[in-house]
Amino acid sequence: KLFLNYMNNFRELNLNPSLMQSITRMHFKIPTPIQAQAIPSAIIGKDILGTAQTGTGKTLCYGIACINNLLNDKTSNALIICPTRELAVQVGDVLNGLIENTMNIKSAVLIGGESMHKQLRQLQKRPRLIIGTPGRLNDHLKRKSLKLHQSYFLVLDETDRMLDMGFTPQINQVLETVPKKHQTLLFSATLPNDILKLAEKYLNQPVRISVGSTSTPIEKIKQEVLRVDDGDKYNQ
């Protein structure tokens, strides 16, 4: 079992100064438990296998590690894979909130149900940060409009949901396209066998992090279900 580094505040981390400035501007002071456990290992290049639910602060956790990586290694690109377009947009908002203009990091969100032309225009600007859903990422790979040969930083978010939604072939396809040597952060609310197999295949000696219950929703998260017809779902 690996010894976990903990941190009590973001200043303890040896983060890129412009990222630290951005964290201060956004008034992030005390890390959540998953941030305190995962960020120190993630910023030194370790793979992470994390169980955490929505509301634990994992987006900022991998977002800080991701942007720190892009700032410190100008040859590296990052790819974040999410199960749904809604989550991908939300993750894009969080990460773009951390990116200062002076950082010169362009991003693109590649999701289904959105104009392909708009996404192709985004990709022509050579973004170093790609956030997307498995199906649309594969569409771009087939078109050769997306190249992942420099994606040395990879995040799989809510992986159990992606596998439940039948995205295993698309995830495998994407993972076969990124460089053999890369860093992977995998997050999931649960760890069924299919995820453990995926982790065994693609993660390199990951640091295992678990925060909160894996069966009950996190407190203070309000959950709502809205039933709509297929044709109306993108109008909501």
Side-chain angles (χ1 to χ4, degrees):
K1 190 175 167 67
L2 284 164
F3 172 72
L4 287 178
N5 294 315
Y6 282 73
M7 61 163 182
N8 296 309
N9 62 65
F10 291 107
R11 294 204 170 279
E12 288 176 27
L13 294 167
N14 187 23
L15 292 174
N16 187 288
S18 56
L19 177 56
M20 196 59 238
Q21 192 179 323
S22 170
I23 290 168
T24 306
R25 170 178 55 79
M26 294 181 82
H27 304 293
F28 294 128
K29 288 178 183 147
I30 311 289
T32 66
I34 193 158
Q35 291 162 8
Q37 290 180 47
I39 295 175
S41 296
I43 63 170
I44 59 169
K46 300 273 187 196
D47 282 8
I48 303 279
L49 177 59
T51 33
Q53 298 162 300
T54 300
T56 51
K58 66 182 162 59
T59 306
L60 190 65
C61 166
Y62 63 68
I64 286 173
C66 171
I67 291 165
N68 198 63
N69 173 278
L70 293 176
L71 288 168
N72 291 346
D73 180 0
K74 302 293 186 206
T75 66
S76 179
N77 293 346
L79 173 67
I80 297 169
I81 311 176
C82 304
T84 63
R85 47 175 287 153
E86 292 78 14
L87 182 60
V89 169
Q90 192 181 316
V91 167
D93 289 343
V94 172
L95 269 66
N96 283 317
L98 283 172
I99 297 171
E100 307 270 357
N101 287 337
T102 52
M103 292 178 182
N104 199 23
I105 297 172
K106 294 188 184 77
S107 66
V109 177
L110 307 178
I111 52 178
E114 270 210 349
S115 155
M116 202 58 144
H117 291 298
K118 178 186 165 190
Q119 292 175 9
L120 290 169
R121 281 198 304 275
Q122 280 184 303
L123 288 169
Q124 281 168 355
K125 293 174 182 170
R126 296 197 170 182
R128 293 181 60 210
L129 170 60
I130 302 284
I131 300 149
T133 49
R136 184 52 64 98
L137 288 170
N138 271 272
D139 291 343
H140 282 287
L141 285 172
K142 283 175 192 158
R143 279 174 168 253
K144 296 191 166 45
S145 47
L146 176 64
K147 292 186 171 57
L148 300 175
H149 62 289
Q150 285 181 293
S151 297
Y152 296 110
F153 189 97
L154 180 67
V155 178
L156 297 168
D157 196 4
E158 299 198 1
T159 310
D160 48 352
R161 282 186 70 195
M162 289 200 276
L163 300 198
D164 286 347
M165 291 164 78
F167 283 133
T168 306
Q170 288 92 334
I171 291 169
N172 283 321
Q173 190 65 46
V174 171
L175 294 178
E176 294 297 330
T177 318
V178 298
K180 283 280 176 273
K181 280 189 80 170
H182 67 269
Q183 181 182 3
T184 307
L185 277 55
L186 186 157
F187 292 96
S188 185
T190 57
L191 279 187
N193 278 337
D194 50 359
I195 292 201
L196 291 172
K197 278 183 200 159
L198 191 79
E200 203 174 303
K201 186 175 179 185
Y202 292 112
L203 270 60
N204 177 30
Q205 295 182 312
V207 176
R208 175 78 183 89
I209 288 164
S210 179
V211 171
S213 162
T214 57
S215 57
T216 55
I218 195 108
E219 284 179 39
K220 296 179 187 167
I221 290 286
K222 185 180 173 189
Q223 301 193 58
E224 289 184 2
V225 175
L226 191 61
R227 297 190 183 279
V228 294
D229 291 331
D230 267 4
D232 293 330
K233 69 177 181 178
Y234 294 127
N235 298 326
Q236 300 305 313

